[in-house]
Amino acid sequence: MTFPSRTTNQEIELGTTLQPKFGADGLIPCITQDAATGEVLMFAFMNAESLATTLKSKKATYWSRSRSKLWMKGEESGNVQWVKSLHTDCDQDVILIKVEQTGSANASCHNGYKSCFYRRLADLDDPAFKLEYTAERLFDPATVYKKK
Amino acid sequence: MTFPSRTTNQEIELGTTLQPKFGADGLIPCITQDAATGEVLMFAFMNAESLATTLKSKKATYWSRSRSKLWMKGEESGNVQWVKSLHTDCDQDVILIKVEQTGSANASCHNGYKSCFYRRLADLDDPAFKLEYTAERLFDPATVYKKK
């Protein structure tokens, strides 16, 4: 699967053909949102192969920078993300997917939370930058993943 | 304003102190979401100074890579984003802010849309990768910005 080449700014920004910009490292950022609730579940990167695999399989597939390999979300945990729609931004250098998060734990995050964004600043003016949790843990990673 | 240093994985992933990871280029990705609706409005980068400015002013302030300068959203258009909360992900290398998008046009995107993500693939299986619009234009950029 080859994606259309980048053309003019006009076509990229206001046209109707996907022309994704992969960076110098071959990657495009991807925001993953819960299709039903709008909650942002995670943020990762895709290369052309993972974007193609995502479209073909409908299962969110990223590029793992730490492992340098395709990473089908849920391949270990079973928490597969079924892609419902795929969006891009004005200059087509970011992908946004809306997914149905599935699996027994229904969690996106390896730490056992629905979303990776399970903490926020308790007070924007706090000079100690204290975070507070905004989510309940759905599973304990120690019981799911083998200890490394 | 100096942010806490990165400590252990355990502290970063499960602790309660913000320890943002700025990349080798000094930047951290930022996802901006409408606080009321959950719509993803835009994606940009922050450096330490823009994150500090955002927290101090409560007005979303990014780092413009193309202009190499701080970029207070709305400084030209008036479409200021007031920050309601600031979140981070498990490994604290992404920021998510929830904002109230203001301004006469109430638009985040320079192309005149509420969100930069105003197009999606019409059909995930379409080999021509045709995009369809999912939003109405709120203003015509030609009448707002000076021609370059």
Side-chain angles (χ1 to χ4, degrees), chain A residues 6-86:
Chain A
R6 303 274 285 180
T7 55
T8 63
N9 277 348
Q10 176 76 13
E11 270 300 311
I12 289 166
E13 301 220 348
L14 298 170
T16 53
T17 302
L18 182 68
Q19 301 179 8
K21 181 178 180 180
F22 298 99
D25 53 6
L27 303 178
I28 190 167
C30 176
I31 301 164
T32 304
Q33 205 175 10
D34 184 295
T37 67
E39 183 176 15
V40 174
L41 299 176
M42 55 180 282
F43 172 87
F45 289 90
M46 289 182 171
N47 62 4
E49 187 184 359
S50 66
L51 181 55
T53 302
T54 297
L55 288 172
K56 193 170 176 188
S57 68
K58 314 295 183 292
K59 293 187 269 196
T61 304
Y62 307 98
W63 177 255
S64 168
R65 292 180 300 169
S66 58
R67 293 178 292 161
S68 293
K69 57 176 280 199
L70 282 192
W71 160 40
M72 194 272 275
K73 186 70 187 170
E75 65 192 352
E76 286 184 46
S77 65
N79 297 318
V80 170
Q81 296 173 334
W82 290 95
V83 177
K84 299 301 178 184
S85 59
L86 189 143

Side-chain angles (χ1 to χ4, degrees), chain A residues 12-16 18 33 38 43 58 86 88-90 110-111 116 118-121 125 129 131 133, chain B residues 12-16 18 33 38 43 58 86 88-90 110-111 116 118-121 125 129 131 133:
Chain A
I12 289 166
E13 301 220 348
L14 298 170
T16 53
L18 182 68
Q33 205 175 10
F43 172 87
K58 314 295 183 292
L86 189 143
T88 191
D89 71 334
C90 43
H110 70 292
N111 283 328
C116 293
Y118 48 82
R119 292 169 298 177
R120 69 177 171 208
L121 280 179
D125 294 308
F129 304 102
L131 297 173
Y133 277 74
Chain B
I12 290 166
E13 300 221 348
L14 298 171
T16 53
L18 183 68
Q33 205 174 11
F43 172 87
K58 313 296 182 294
L86 188 143
T88 191
D89 70 334
C90 42
H110 70 291
N111 283 329
C116 294
Y118 48 81
R119 293 169 298 175
R120 70 178 169 206
L121 280 179
D125 293 308
F129 303 103
L131 296 172
Y133 277 75

Side-chain angles (χ1 to χ4, degrees), chain B residues 52-105:
Chain B
T53 302
T54 297
L55 288 172
K56 192 170 178 187
S57 68
K58 313 296 182 294
K59 293 187 268 196
T61 304
Y62 308 98
W63 177 255
S64 169
R65 292 180 300 169
S66 58
R67 293 178 293 162
S68 292
K69 57 175 282 202
L70 281 192
W71 160 41
M72 195 272 274
K73 186 69 188 170
E75 66 192 351
E76 286 184 45
S77 65
N79 298 317
V80 170
Q81 297 172 334
W82 291 95
V83 177
K84 299 301 176 184
S85 59
L86 188 143
H87 311 246
T88 191
D89 70 334
C90 42
D91 49 358
Q92 299 205 38
D93 61 359
V94 183
I95 295 290
L96 183 150
I97 53 176
K98 296 188 182 184
V99 305
E100 182 186 354
Q101 177 68 59
T102 63
S104 58

